[in-house]
Amino acid sequence: MTTFTVRSNAELTDILSRIDGLGGGSIKLEADGGPYQISARDLGSAGGPVTITAADPSAPPVVDRVDLRDSAFITIDGLHIQGKEAGNPPA
């Protein structure tokens, strides 16, 4: 399984668009590169799972959007997920 360390949302978008073709892998997000937006369609498979975690578990990166459609075999752990307007849930 290939591991990618991501330092910007642009890098994350690029890796998410290519990781399935690489057989899945692990994505580690650097805290100072956020906020990140995790958005993908048809991501992950039994033979190519995808894991998204903090590069440094003591410094969780901020994610302000998660939109995974028709995706499976995804693990997300150690991230600080908040809306763009934290504390204001949708009506």
Side-chain angles (χ1 to χ4, degrees):
M1 182 187 300
T2 304
T3 299
F4 302 93
T5 300
V6 172
R7 294 174 181 85
S8 71
N9 194 61
E11 287 181 8
L12 176 59
T13 300
D14 177 57
I15 295 300
L16 287 172
S17 72
R18 297 185 301 119
I19 199 164
D20 270 340
L22 300 171
S26 177
I27 301 171
K28 296 187 176 287
L29 304 180
E30 292 283 350
D32 61 355
Y36 294 97
Q37 296 180 352
I38 300 170
S39 183
R41 184 176 195 109
D42 300 318
L43 185 66
S45 67
V50 175
T51 301
I52 304 171
T53 61
D56 177 356
S58 68
V62 172
V63 175
D64 64 15
R65 179 179 179 200
V66 177
D67 182 11
L68 298 172
R69 298 174 190 230
D70 304 319
S71 298
F73 299 94
I74 310 295
T75 300
I76 297 175
D77 190 35
L79 310 180
H80 181 85
I81 299 175
Q82 68 180 29
K84 288 187 180 188
E85 295 180 34
N88 296 322

